[in-house]
Structures are given as structure tokens and as C-alpha cells.
Amino acid sequence: MEAFRVLPGVGPKTAQRMAMHLLERDRPGGQKLASTIQQAIDEVGYCRRCRTLTEADICALCESPRRHDQLLCVVESPADQLAIEEAGGFQGRYFVLHGHLSPLDGIGPDAIGLDVLEARVAEGQISEVVLATNPTVEGEATAHYIAALLAEHGVTLSRLAYGVPMGGELEYVDGGTLSRAFNGRQPFSSE
Amino acid sequence: MEAFRVLPGVGPKTAQRMAMHLLERDRPGGQKLASTIQQAIDEVGYCRRCRTLTEADICALCESPRRHDQLLCVVESPADQLAIEEAGGFQGRYFVLHGHLSPLDGIGPDAIGLDVLEARVAEGQISEVVLATNPTVEGEATAHYIAALLAEHGVTLSRLAYGVPMGGELEYVDGGTLSRAFNGRQPFSSE
């Protein structure tokens, strides 16, 4: 029971239910869970090129000959990378920071791999870096830091558009977002 | 109790609690509520110019000499207008549709005041119309219809930017929004 509590969102009651369930009703399932976790921990590491999670030395996405080398998307986490991949449309490569700058917690540029990122950009193949860090204060600060770092390398820098999310109601959109959506308004035609 | 159920979000239990509270503990409050509702229903009508709710013939915002006449923002409801006003930054005038086109429900162009809107634009003072209908399928369809309607009047048409809302996490943003935020990405610099 104690061990299950390392999982996010699992408190004492849930941990107890999980443990009891495996012991009383599904011992083979428990066996499989244990060995899969062990295997994942042994085998999943970080891609040497983009730092995402992978079982290989270089991940499939970095290896793929069908992705564009000129476009690099910088994200905070493998989950963000997955969200962008699922949304579709992006054809470039990724770079995963595993966090954002947070000097108070001792997380500096090297801890989020900015040295690796700079070396990657210095190779000269990349023409545009999309800074897709989270639209939070920390993500924004990290984007600014990276922009300053890469400024001398002559790449185009861009950031995801801020605006109203699709399917929402204006009435419930926060003021800051609404005012950015207003300032960033786009030409519109009936076609 | 029956009467309270006309309010949105009030079911039988809440209606009972409200009625009992007024009768047992706050009769003067109930008196005031009744007379305020009566007064509001008698006196609040629609602005002749922008169709928002107002006690006057023409609302304060349409009368104000400090707003720009060249910029007109079209919204679906007075609540949306309020949200944009609270966000600040917009200095133009408004036009309130009170809904969106919905042919299946018999809501056509005239029911949302598009004849009034077209006449307003035909006056010639307006140079840009911001179509701030909701980022929903219906709101988008209504924006397209209005764009077609106003095309011949030679005004600039624009629409609020779609994108990621401020303060969110990319991981939880839906795919459609993420892909629009990606396509609408903006140049970024470290300043």
C-alpha cells in the first residue's frame, strides 16, 4: 500500500484498494504490472538528440527521414510533445526541456538542457525555432531566456498564438486571454 | 417555490430553500427583490443603436464621445460585451446580436439584427468590424455570414485570435486549438 502512494493522485484509500484488488482478485495482473514497470525503468531513457523519453539511443522521431530539419519545436515535457503530435500538422523536430527555468528551485539553463539546445542550433540546419513552452509565467520567462540565448545564431523565433480556445464561450474566457485575442485579431473573410 | 424555478440553475430543492428563507427570515429582502425585478423588467430595454441592454433609449457606451466610431465589435450577448469591456483595451463601439444564426430554430439574419447592423455599417463611419462571436461552430458560421453581408461595404473584417489561453498547460489544450495556435504562431524576441 505504501508503495502505490508514489503514483500521482493516489492517496491512502486508493492505495489500499489497489493493493487489495491485486492480491485478492488479480495476481497475474499484478505480476505483469510489476515486470512492466521494472522493464520500463530499466529500458526507457532519454533521446540523445531531443531529450524525449525513448527506449533507443535516438528516438524514432529524431531518426525519421520524413520530418523537416529546419523547424524545431521546444516543449517543456514529453506530454506536451505528444499533445502537439496528436493535434497534427507539425512536421518538424522537437526538443524537450523537461521543465522550465526556476532559479529559486535551483533549475538553471543547463538543468533543462539549454546547452544541448544551443549546440543543436549551432549546427546550422535549423531555420526556425518554435518556443512552445507553456503559456504560464514560468513558460513565458523560459521562452524569453531561450530567445536571448539563440538570438546570435540568426534563427527565426516564434511562439504559439495566444487567443481564445476553440469551442469556448467568450463570456467565460479570462480577461488577459481576451485582451490578447483582441490585440492579435486576424483578418477575416467570408470564404 | 414554483416561481423561483424560472431562474437558471435553480431546481426544486433550491427553490424551496429560497422561498423559505425569504418568508421566514428576510421579508424586507424579499420585498426589495420583488420590486427590483419589477422595475428592471419595466425599465430595461434595448439600445436603439447597438441593441445592448439599457434603461435609456441609447446606451451610455453608444453616447460616449470618448469611444472610436471607426471600430465596431460584434458580439453575441451583453455578457460577452461586458467580458470584453472588463478585459479592457478596446476603444470602439459594440453591436449585440442576442444570439447566433440558427436556421433550424428559425433564427435568421433579421432575428439577430443583421439588418440593423448592415444599415449601421452603410452609414460609412466604420472602417473595421471585429467579429467577436463565440469560437464555436455556430459563432463561426454567424461570423462568416456577417462577413459575406458586409463584404460589399468595403470595411476591414477581423476575428479574435484563436490560440492557447494564458496560464494553461499545453498538455491539456484540445487538439484543434493547439493546431490553430501552431499555425498562427507569432514572431518572438527576447525583449
Side-chain angles (χ1 to χ4, degrees), chain A residues 162-165 173-182, chain B residues 87 161 163-167:
Chain A
Y162 278 105
V164 292
V173 171
D174 68 289
T177 298
L178 205 47
S179 115
R180 288 198 72 154
F182 229 103
Chain B
V164 292
M166 289 175 77

Side-chain angles (χ1 to χ4, degrees), chain B:
Chain B
M1 292 179 208
E2 203 58 47
F4 273 117
R5 298 196 47 195
V6 301
L7 296 174
V10 174
K13 277 282 176 195
T14 311
Q16 179 179 330
R17 214 167 66 236
M18 287 173 162
M20 291 303 180
H21 175 83
L22 291 185
L23 291 175
E24 297 208 66
R25 297 207 206 118
D26 196 3
R27 287 186 174 237
Q31 189 63 56
K32 180 135 184 271
L33 178 60
S35 64
T36 309
I37 293 175
Q38 188 60 53
Q39 195 188 347
I41 284 172
D42 290 343
E43 294 176 13
V44 176
Y46 300 103
C47 171
R48 222 158 24 92
R49 203 154 164 72
C50 75
R51 300 187 8 127
T52 197
L53 296 170
T54 174
E55 291 180 32
D57 193 33
I58 304 279
C59 74
L61 219 146
C62 282
E63 291 273 29
S64 168
R66 292 197 303 201
R67 308 291 293 216
H68 303 308
D69 279 321
Q70 317 89 278
L71 209 55
L72 185 74
C73 178
V74 177
V75 292
E76 288 189 26
S77 71
D80 294 343
Q81 178 187 7
L82 210 63
I84 294 173
E85 276 300 287
E86 279 172 3
F90 178 67
Q91 294 297 318
R93 311 270 182 190
Y94 290 93
F95 189 86
V96 181
L97 302 174
H98 295 288
H100 46 246
L101 287 178
S102 183
L104 291 179
D105 303 318
I107 301 176
D110 288 3
I112 57 170
L114 295 191
D115 45 347
V116 183
L117 175 63
E118 193 178 7
R120 171 88 172 264
V121 170
E123 290 172 12
Q125 275 195 306
I126 296 162
S127 61
E128 178 180 349
V129 176
V130 184
L131 299 165
T133 50
N134 281 333
T136 56
V137 175
E138 298 85 358
E140 193 78 4
T142 305
H144 278 287
Y145 186 93
I146 299 175
L149 185 73
L150 301 183
E152 62 186 272
H153 292 284
V155 287
T156 302
L157 294 162
S158 61
R159 184 127 174 83
L160 296 192
Y162 278 104
V164 292
M166 289 175 77
E169 312 253 321
L170 286 194
E171 188 184 343
Y172 302 114
V173 171
D174 68 289
T177 297
L178 205 47
S179 117
R180 289 199 71 153
F182 227 102
N183 294 331
R185 63 188 186 270
Q186 303 285 322
F188 188 78
S189 80
S190 57
E191 278 97 55

Side-chain angles (χ1 to χ4, degrees), chain A residues 148-172:
Chain A
L149 185 73
L150 301 182
E152 63 186 271
H153 293 283
V155 288
T156 303
L157 295 161
S158 61
R159 181 123 176 86
L160 295 193
Y162 278 105
V164 292
M166 288 174 76
E169 312 252 324
L170 287 194
E171 189 185 335
Y172 303 112

Side-chain angles (χ1 to χ4, degrees), chain A:
Chain A
M1 292 180 207
E2 203 56 48
F4 273 118
R5 298 196 47 194
V6 301
L7 296 174
V10 175
K13 279 280 176 197
T14 312
Q16 177 179 332
R17 214 167 66 232
M18 287 172 164
M20 290 304 180
H21 175 83
L22 292 185
L23 291 176
E24 298 209 65
R25 300 210 201 113
D26 195 2
R27 285 185 175 239
Q31 189 64 54
K32 179 136 184 272
L33 179 60
S35 64
T36 309
I37 292 175
Q38 188 60 52
Q39 195 188 346
I41 284 172
D42 289 344
E43 294 177 13
V44 175
Y46 300 101
C47 170
R48 222 158 25 93
R49 202 153 164 74
C50 76
R51 301 188 6 128
T52 198
L53 296 170
T54 176
E55 292 180 33
D57 193 33
I58 304 278
C59 74
L61 220 145
C62 281
E63 292 274 27
S64 168
R66 293 199 304 200
R67 308 291 293 216
H68 304 309
D69 279 321
Q70 319 88 277
L71 209 54
L72 186 75
C73 178
V74 177
V75 293
E76 288 188 28
S77 71
D80 293 342
Q81 178 187 8
L82 210 63
I84 293 172
E85 276 301 286
E86 279 172 3
F90 179 67
Q91 294 298 317
R93 312 270 182 191
Y94 290 92
F95 189 86
V96 181
L97 301 175
H98 294 286
H100 45 245
L101 287 178
S102 183
L104 291 179
D105 303 317
I107 302 176
D110 288 3
I112 57 170
L114 295 191
D115 45 347
V116 183
L117 175 63
E118 193 178 8
R120 170 89 171 263
V121 170
E123 289 171 13
Q125 274 196 306
I126 296 162
S127 63
E128 178 181 349
V129 176
V130 184
L131 300 165
T133 50
N134 280 334
T136 54
V137 174
E138 298 84 0
E140 193 77 4
T142 305
H144 277 287
Y145 186 93
I146 298 175
L149 185 73
L150 301 182
E152 63 186 271
H153 293 283
V155 288
T156 303
L157 295 161
S158 61
R159 181 123 176 86
L160 295 193
Y162 278 105
V164 292
M166 288 174 76
E169 312 252 324
L170 287 194
E171 189 185 335
Y172 303 112
V173 171
D174 68 289
T177 298
L178 205 47
S179 115
R180 288 198 72 154
F182 229 103
N183 294 331
R185 63 186 186 271
Q186 302 286 321
F188 187 78
S189 79
S190 56
E191 280 94 56

